[in-house]
Amino acid sequence: MERENIYEGKNMALFEEEMDSNPMVSSLLNKLANYTNLSQGVVEHEEDEDSKRKEIKAPRMGTFIGVYLPCLQNILGVILFLRLTWIVGAAGILESFIIVFMCCTCTMLTAISMSAIATNGVVPAGGSYYMISRSLGPEFGGAVGLCFYLGTTFAGAMYILGTIEIFLVSLFAAIFHSEDGEGENVAMLNNMRVYGTCTLALMAMVVFVGVKYVNKLALVFLACVILSILAIYAGVIKTAFDPPSISVCLLGNRTLSKRAFDTCAKYEYRNNETVTTDLWKLFCNGSMLSAKCDDYFAQNNVTEIKGIPGIASGIIRENLWSAYADKGAFVEKKDKPSIPASEEIKFISSPPYVLTDIMTYFTMLVGIYFPSVTGIMAGSNRSGDLRDAQKSIPTGTILAIVTTSFICILLVFGHGKANGEPTWALLLTALICEIGILIASLDSVAPILSMFFLMCYMFVNLACAVQTLLRTPNWRPRFKFYHWTLSFLGMSLCLALMFICSWYYALFAMLIAGCIYKYIEYRGAEKEWGDGIRGLSLNAARFALLRVEHGPPHTKNWRPQVLVMLNLDSEQCVKHPRLLSFNTQLKAGKGLTIVGSVLEGTYLDKHQEAQRAEENIRSLMGAEKTKGFCQLVVSSSLRDGMSHLIQSAGLGGMKHNTVLMAWPESWKQSDNPFSWKNFVDTTAAQQALMVAKNIDMFPQNQERFSEGNIDVWWIVHDGGMLMLLPFLLRQHKVWRKCRMRIFTVAQMDDNSIQMKKDLQMFLYHLRISAEVEVVEMVSSNLPFRWRALLSGVLCFKQTPFPFYLTFQAQLIHDRNTASHSAAVAKTKEVATPEKVQMTWTKEKLISEKHKNKDTNAAGFRDLFTLKPNQSNVRRMHTAVKLNGVVLNKSQDAQLVLLNMPGPPKNRQGDENYMEFLEVLTEGLNRVLLVRGGGREVITIYS
């Protein structure tokens, strides 16, 4: 009644029963229109969001404040001010332009890919992690997201080191001091570590109190940066007309550091006297003009040049080409004259030469400069605070890249607690940042964070390219100025830059990302996001399936592709879970495995039971480490369902060629749902067949056999499956220590010795190690009276019921006595009519007699005068004899493999067929009946 009131007057009567799962369109549109980018997640991943979501102020940031300025502030960093001029001095203007162009192109292509991803649907909080994880899956998203986090953390260390470097160079407020050159470098590093750690602690306290107070000053900090850049341009213009009076002292063409002297000259005139300067004392053994001096100092003049000559002086032409140098090389002015010295005598430990403190080359400079163009994701990281993320992220990011690229090129040619802060995450970040500070070198930290940022950018480009190439239906970005070739080019450029900067750092970063990926894959993702990798896997699977030939594979490539037939109980649980254990031991994760089962009923009525059964099967497959697919069939009868499953399981060339099932222990019970007819139908299918008897006694995957045998009874040739299966089993840890024995049966007219030699040679060519034994069987040693009774029981069922019991008991007794291996208790149990029962019974005899009363007299007389069916007599005789021989040789074996006889062509003998198999395997612990599929599966050729 309530449902009728709710939908009264809404014209939804036809769909009332679907409203629980399918809402009205108006309700759906209302939820989408009121969507807000909240940090707790996407609407479709939240439960009861209408009742539980709190009122939160909608984000108000636009493109300029939310994206453009944050990107600008992150890109215009410490590298731009401290290292760009040094890069130009070492690499020259042309190669510096190439470095800047490569890095800016990389970020621009990444920004285009990021814009396409950002405009392909709503982007809530999460930024780059959200975009990558929804495009490439949670494994890639988590790996790249953590790499981006590490890069950002090391970027913090780099900014701190840059700040301390300026502080130490400009203010000279050093704690550690040293007089010699090497000691000065060590003291510099220690000063960086001390001051850097103190600065990091101060910044951590500020963030702990609340980063929102820092964000309020972001525009002030950005204004300072912009003013500094404008000051640089103003200085370039001013020096073109009025260069500053800053001078550089040269000895020959070598640059000197003026820390240890004031006057850039060897001597000077005072009161009409020539007096040596402090510089003289650094290169000579005394202050007198007659003192012995360094040879290079004596032969070269001391000159003074302008430190900033201005662009009008032709400095651009001089700086066009590179001037790379090794560590410890002299900083020289190439156009100045210099006379090389034959021998340099050092009168002090470190002459005041300006030496290079690091080896410079092109790829190293790329790694140092690249952090200067990072920061393009500063806007996307604020996606949860943007009014329209799909519009703001592309526009603001690309504008910021264009602006900063223009600035860099001009410079090259110019010269959790209560307040919401995550406490433990803050401490971890500070610890990682401290690692970067302890390195204490800006030039060493920069390549590290370059790797992590390049890794992140590479996967952003990959995500865009994959989505475009796969033509995913959901891939409909509003940003149209992109193409998959641009994304692919950006991805390739990022990968190339990683190895250009530092190949060992690149491999290390990939190793970290790979470990994170495998960890997330191992733990499993909590959500299914429909990522592009799944689409890529489907396309790859489709491509591979189309390439697989539909015909049978070559004998060398044959392996059992198994369809495991499981039986379910009334609770849809698997009856014999060790069947999956045995399949895992046989397959070892290789090849195709399809786990199938049949539910009796109609699909509409059994839908819930089918889902529950499939979940139970998948859970068991996971527990048994069975790698494969689950396929459940609902059919009106189990017999038809099994037939459908055997025929239709698999896809294309990936179809099963072998059926594995458990022996139906209760096949004689009339109320058994899995009747003997279903089993016989399965054996008649044109598939290789493996039937495991006493499957509950088979070992689990955790068990280990320390000794024992796997016995193969090779009665008839079935294509070689009997040889191949033990070899595959012994690859698993359960059966690895078991030996393989092969028994074959020789007839009266066979040469047993020659058979053994031939079999050994055959196994040698098959590269299979096994013991060989030939068993001779006498053609007939069963007493005549039992053979006569056997004829009547199996063929015309004329034997009265008491006679049948006597025969069956005597038959089992004779067999066990001949084998000398069966226990007395076992014999009595087998002799019980309830346990082992032949097909013909007294009740059936009476019903058959009543059935034949309506026939004519001649037909009635012929019923008891027909000749015995000698075929059934021979079959039972063979089963009894073979069982006795097998028991004698293999009763203690860990596993016995037997040729499985084919089903009778005359379907009226199906019940007798089951009796044959029961007698053949009686008394054995673990038996695997094997029947080949009619083709060779093993070969002696390579």
Side-chain angles (χ1 to χ4, degrees):
M1 193 64 185
E2 293 180 359
R3 182 183 297 271
E4 296 179 0
N5 295 334
I6 294 174
Y7 300 109
E8 182 68 29
K10 294 186 178 181
N11 300 318
M12 299 297 293
L14 289 175
F15 305 95
E16 286 181 0
E17 295 185 358
E18 301 178 29
M19 287 299 158
D20 293 336
S21 58
N22 301 330
M24 289 187 294
V25 174
S26 59
S27 176
L28 174 65
L29 294 178
N30 181 55
K31 290 183 178 181
L32 291 177
N34 294 330
Y35 180 84
T36 54
N37 298 331
L38 300 178
S39 59
Q40 55 262 38
V42 188
V43 174
E44 59 265 26
H45 290 174
E46 299 175 5
E47 298 179 358
D48 302 327
E49 56 92 16
D50 288 332
S51 59
K52 296 182 180 180
R53 177 165 292 180
K54 298 180 181 179
E55 291 294 330
I56 298 180
K57 185 178 180 180
R60 297 295 182 185
M61 284 189 179
T63 303
F64 187 76
I65 299 295
V67 180
Y68 179 74
L69 291 183
C71 288
L72 209 64
Q73 186 176 6
N74 279 266
I75 294 174
L76 300 177
V78 65
I79 298 295
L80 181 69
F81 293 98
L82 296 185
R83 291 294 183 267
L84 184 56
T85 53
W86 171 71
I87 290 174
V88 174
I93 292 176
L94 295 181
E95 292 189 26
S96 298
F97 174 77
I98 294 174
I99 293 174
V100 173
F101 179 78
M102 285 173 43
C103 296
C104 293
T105 302
C106 177
T107 54
M108 177 58 75
L109 293 174
T110 304
I112 292 174
S113 300
M114 186 175 64
S115 301
I117 298 174
T119 57
N120 186 53
V122 178
V123 182
S128 57
Y129 163 74
Y130 179 89
M131 291 186 291
I132 295 174
S133 61
R134 267 55 173 186
S135 299
L136 297 180
E139 296 86 0
F140 276 107
V144 178
L146 284 177
C147 285
F148 182 72
Y149 160 74
L150 292 175
T152 306
T153 305
F154 274 100
M158 183 187 69
Y159 295 139
I160 293 175
L161 291 175
T163 303
I164 302 305
E165 182 176 315
I166 297 174
F167 178 75
L168 291 174
V169 172
S170 302
L171 301 180
F172 302 103
I175 299 176
F176 301 95
H177 300 274
S178 178
E179 297 299 330
D180 59 338
E182 292 208 10
E184 184 178 0
N185 292 332
V186 174
M188 181 70 173
L189 294 178
N190 291 331
N191 287 320
M192 297 277 281
R193 294 186 179 104
V194 173
Y195 282 114
T197 302
C198 295
T199 306
L200 175 63
L202 178 63
M203 295 177 64
M205 290 177 60
V206 172
V207 175
F208 187 78
V209 172
V211 74
K212 60 182 180 180
Y213 302 108
V214 180
N215 288 336
K216 292 180 180 180
L217 299 175
L219 293 180
V220 177
F221 298 151
L222 179 61
C224 296
V225 172
I226 294 176
L227 289 175
S228 301
I229 294 174
L230 293 177
I232 293 175
Y233 289 132
V236 170
I237 297 173
K238 179 181 181 299
T239 56
F241 305 99
D242 184 18
S245 59
I246 301 175
S247 61
V248 175
C249 186
L250 298 178
L251 174 61
N253 64 352
R254 299 178 183 178
T255 307
L256 299 177
S257 174
K258 298 180 68 175
R259 291 185 179 180
F261 61 93
D262 297 327
T263 304
C264 183
K266 294 182 178 180
Y267 40 81
E268 59 183 350
Y269 294 97
R270 295 179 185 173
N271 301 324
N272 295 325
E273 283 188 76
T274 303
V275 181
T276 58
T277 62
D278 293 335
L279 180 61
W280 180 280
K281 299 174 184 177
L282 295 176
F283 287 93
C284 301
N285 60 358
S287 60
M288 303 298 294
L289 290 173
S290 60
K292 187 175 181 180
C293 298
D294 178 77
D295 192 21
Y296 186 83
F297 179 79
Q299 296 186 29
N300 289 274
N301 297 325
V302 177
T303 58
E304 199 168 24
I305 63 173
K306 290 183 178 181
I308 304 178
I311 58 175
S313 64
I315 194 66
I316 293 180
R317 184 175 62 256
E318 296 179 14
N319 286 337
L320 281 178
W321 312 109
S322 62
Y324 299 123
D326 294 331
K327 182 179 180 181
F330 297 107
V331 177
E332 298 176 337
K333 182 72 171 173
K334 297 298 184 182
D335 59 345
K336 292 295 182 180
S338 176
I339 301 174
S342 59
E343 182 180 2
E344 295 190 18
I345 303 174
K346 295 183 180 180
F347 295 98
I348 59 174
S349 59
S350 57
Y353 292 120
V354 177
L355 306 177
T356 57
D357 57 353
I358 187 173
M359 182 179 177
T360 54
Y361 46 93
F362 180 82
T363 57
M364 186 271 289
L365 297 180
V366 173
I368 292 178
Y369 175 75
F370 187 81
S372 178
V373 298
T374 60
I376 62 173
M377 292 188 173
S380 63
N381 291 338
R382 299 190 179 192
S383 56
D385 299 324
L386 298 176
R387 186 187 307 115
D388 187 355
Q390 298 185 48
K391 176 183 177 182
S392 299
I393 291 177
T395 307
T397 304
I398 293 177
L399 283 178
I401 292 175
V402 171
T403 303
T404 53
S405 300
F406 180 73
I407 292 173
C408 292
I409 292 174
L410 284 181
L411 287 178
V412 168
F413 285 97
H415 63 40
K417 57 187 185 71
N419 62 356
E421 299 298 336
T423 305
W424 291 109
L426 173 62
L427 294 177
L428 177 62
T429 304
L431 180 61
I432 298 174
C433 191
E434 177 65 16
I435 295 175
I437 290 174
L438 292 178
I439 296 175
S441 174
L442 184 67
D443 300 324
S444 300
V445 173
I448 297 176
L449 66 99
S450 295
M451 293 301 113
F452 293 121
F453 279 119
L454 282 168
M455 179 86 67
C456 183
Y457 296 167
M458 181 178 68
F459 281 103
V460 170
N461 287 289
L462 175 63
C464 184
V466 165
Q467 297 278 30
T468 307
L469 290 175
L470 292 180
R471 298 181 180 178
T472 308
N474 191 53
W475 179 245
R476 302 184 299 275
R478 288 195 181 94
F479 186 80
K480 301 300 181 183
F481 304 101
Y482 82 97
H483 195 267
W484 70 268
T485 54
L486 296 178
S487 300
F488 185 79
L489 179 61
M491 179 189 69
S492 304
L493 186 57
C494 289
L495 184 62
L497 285 175
M498 288 178 65
F499 284 92
I500 286 174
C501 296
S502 175
W503 65 268
Y504 44 89
Y505 278 166
L507 294 178
F508 182 69
M510 289 181 176
L511 177 63
I512 292 178
C515 293
I516 298 171
Y517 177 93
K518 297 303 294 184
Y519 174 75
I520 297 176
E521 183 183 50
Y522 171 75
R523 293 297 300 270
E526 297 181 359
K527 300 291 184 181
E528 171 58 44
W529 293 323
D531 52 85
I533 291 297
R534 182 174 178 82
L536 183 63
S537 301
L538 291 174
N539 275 271
R542 171 182 170 274
F543 178 78
L545 282 174
L546 291 175
R547 288 181 60 88
V548 175
E549 298 179 1
H550 287 279
H554 192 275
T555 303
K556 292 187 293 185
N557 299 327
W558 193 94
R559 67 169 62 244
Q561 316 284 11
V562 181
L563 170 63
V564 185
M565 302 291 292
L566 296 180
N567 295 331
L568 304 176
D569 56 20
S570 58
E571 300 296 327
Q572 284 75 49
C573 295
V574 179
K575 286 186 178 180
H576 304 293
R578 297 203 179 188
L579 199 62
L580 285 182
S581 301
F582 179 74
N583 176 75
T584 302
Q585 297 158 20
L586 177 66
K587 301 287 291 178
K590 303 296 188 298
L592 175 69
T593 297
I594 302 175
V595 181
S597 187
V598 180
L599 283 181
E600 190 171 13
T602 60
Y603 182 73
L604 293 178
D605 297 336
K606 294 288 185 177
H607 180 65
Q608 298 293 334
E609 289 85 344
Q611 284 187 330
R612 184 164 61 251
E614 188 168 350
E615 290 177 0
N616 293 338
I617 293 175
R618 291 186 186 278
S619 176
L620 181 62
M621 290 174 65
E624 297 294 340
K625 298 181 180 179
T626 302
K627 299 178 180 179
F629 308 96
C630 176
Q631 189 165 349
L632 199 72
V633 173
V634 180
S635 178
S636 57
S637 69
L638 291 177
R639 195 172 187 179
D640 292 342
M642 292 182 64
S643 177
H644 297 158
L645 187 59
I646 293 175
Q647 294 179 64
S648 61
L651 181 63
M654 291 294 289
K655 293 184 69 70
H656 62 278
N657 54 29
T658 306
V659 178
L660 173 62
M661 61 191 308
W663 172 262
E665 300 289 347
S666 57
W667 64 271
K668 294 177 285 295
Q669 299 178 5
S670 58
D671 58 345
N672 179 27
F674 186 84
S675 66
W676 52 269
K677 293 183 179 180
N678 299 340
F679 178 80
V680 174
D681 286 345
T682 305
T683 61
Q686 299 301 316
Q687 303 277 349
L689 181 65
M690 296 183 293
V691 179
K693 190 175 182 184
N694 302 324
I695 184 61
D696 294 330
M697 299 177 63
F698 276 57
Q700 293 180 329
N701 293 328
Q702 296 78 18
E703 298 181 33
R704 301 288 184 270
F705 287 132
S706 58
E707 59 181 359
N709 300 314
I710 300 177
D711 288 355
V712 178
W713 285 86
W714 192 23
I715 311 301
V716 296
H717 182 57
D718 59 350
M721 275 197 69
L722 280 173
M723 308 292 182
L724 184 61
L725 292 178
F727 172 78
L728 296 177
L729 280 175
R730 293 181 69 243
Q731 307 303 310
H732 197 272
K733 295 179 181 179
V734 174
W735 307 92
R736 185 164 296 167
K737 294 185 179 180
C738 293
R739 295 177 301 169
M740 181 178 171
R741 299 191 302 181
I742 297 181
F743 297 89
T744 188
V745 177
Q747 305 301 326
M748 293 295 296
D749 54 348
D750 292 331
N751 186 339
S752 302
I753 299 176
Q754 187 62 38
M755 281 184 65
K756 184 174 182 178
K757 291 181 179 179
D758 293 342
L759 181 54
Q760 289 175 337
M761 181 60 64
F762 179 59
L763 293 176
Y764 173 78
H765 287 301
L766 289 177
R767 290 90 64 198
I768 293 178
S769 176
E771 298 180 14
V772 175
E773 184 172 345
V774 178
V775 179
E776 296 180 352
M777 287 183 58
V778 182
S779 60
S780 176
N781 61 356
L782 198 65
F784 173 78
R785 64 182 184 278
W786 301 127
R787 282 185 279 126
L789 286 174
L790 188 62
S791 302
V793 171
L794 291 177
C795 304
F796 295 99
K797 306 175 179 65
Q798 297 177 6
T799 305
F801 191 66
F803 285 93
Y804 158 69
L805 295 180
T806 305
F807 163 74
Q808 181 71 1
Q810 184 63 37
L811 185 65
I812 299 296
H813 174 72
D814 287 353
R815 183 204 61 206
N816 292 340
T817 302
S819 64
H820 301 288
S821 58
V824 177
K826 182 80 175 179
T827 305
K828 292 181 179 179
E829 178 183 354
V830 174
T832 307
E834 289 77 13
K835 294 294 181 180
V836 177
Q837 188 182 63
M838 299 298 283
T839 303
W840 193 254
T841 62
K842 182 178 180 180
E843 290 78 12
K844 289 188 177 181
L845 176 64
I846 297 173
S847 63
E848 186 68 24
K849 288 181 178 179
H850 285 292
K851 178 179 178 182
N852 293 329
K853 284 183 179 180
D854 297 334
T855 60
N856 53 35
F860 182 80
R861 287 192 300 272
D862 290 341
L863 178 65
F864 294 96
T865 58
L866 291 175
K867 294 181 180 181
N869 189 332
Q870 295 298 327
S871 175
N872 286 339
V873 175
R874 290 194 304 271
R875 290 189 180 192
M876 180 57 77
H877 185 192
T878 302
V880 173
K881 291 297 299 175
L882 276 176
N883 178 259
V885 174
V886 173
L887 276 176
N888 185 37
K889 297 289 185 179
S890 302
Q891 190 173 27
D892 296 331
Q894 302 292 2
L895 179 65
V896 177
L897 285 83
L898 282 167
N899 279 118
M900 183 177 182
K905 296 181 179 179
N906 180 12
R907 303 306 297 274
Q908 294 180 356
D910 289 350
E911 292 180 89
N912 292 335
Y913 175 68
M914 299 297 292
E915 294 285 1
F916 299 152
L917 298 182
E918 190 77 65
V919 171
L920 179 63
T921 58
E922 188 65 38
L924 298 172
N925 293 329
R926 303 183 190 93
V927 184
L928 186 67
L929 294 171
V930 180
R931 187 165 63 84
R935 57 159 298 167
E936 294 293 329
V937 300
I938 195 169
T939 177
I940 64 175
Y941 300 104
S942 60

